[in-house]
Each structure stands twice: as structure tokens, then as C-alpha cells.
Amino acid sequence: MILCLGATAAQAFLGPGFRINLSRGQIFETHWAKAWMATFHPSALLRMPDERARAQARIHFEEDLRRAADTLRTLG
């Protein structure tokens, strides 16, 4: 599984049209791997000035990491 942390890493794989806010946490199959996913970069969470937005993004980030772990277990 490939897990891209941040929009820049994700765009390196899927091109400049990739939007982290629209597609983060979704599992894709690519020619690079059976499972590919993007989520927020951890440093982006730390830099968010709005406490509420930061808390919500951290919840999404943790959900994405759990989804990645579940996907890895499924792939064996």
C-alpha cells in the first residue's frame, strides 16, 4: 500500500488535479500498488491556526490511518 502524506505527495502520483480535501481517505487501486491512499500531512495539522479545524482534521487523519491499517490487514 502507498500512503501519501499531504497534497504534494499525492499530486506527485496522480497529478496536479488531485485535491486532498475531496479525496483524502479514499482507497484507490493504481498500477503502483493494490491500495493507494492520501491523507493530511502531519505538519499541516500542527500549522492550522483554527483550533476547531485542527481538531476536525486530526479526527480525519486518525480515521484515515485506521482505514489504511485495515486495508493492509485485508491485503495480507
Side-chain angles (χ1 to χ4, degrees), residues 2-3 6 8 12 14 23 33-34 38 45 47 50-52 59 62 72 74 76:
I2 296 171
L3 176 60
T8 302
L14 297 183
S23 299
K34 290 182 181 180
L45 302 177
R47 292 190 314 264
D50 178 15
E51 189 174 329
R52 180 176 280 182
I59 290 168
E62 291 172 359
L72 285 171
T74 301

Side-chain angles (χ1 to χ4, degrees), residues 13-75:
F13 279 92
L14 297 183
F18 182 85
R19 295 291 176 253
I20 197 84
N21 290 330
L22 298 177
S23 299
R24 63 128 206 102
Q26 295 178 34
I27 304 293
F28 298 97
E29 187 170 324
T30 69
H31 64 272
W32 299 289
K34 290 182 181 180
W36 182 99
M37 184 174 78
T39 190
F40 299 112
H41 193 286
S43 69
L45 302 177
L46 297 173
R47 292 190 314 264
M48 289 182 172
D50 178 15
E51 189 174 329
R52 180 176 280 182
R54 184 172 53 248
Q56 188 64 39
R58 183 176 176 150
I59 290 168
H60 290 306
F61 179 71
E62 291 172 359
E63 288 172 351
D64 294 346
L65 293 182
R66 280 191 289 278
R67 182 174 290 130
D70 290 344
T71 299
L72 285 171
R73 280 190 284 278
T74 301
L75 291 174

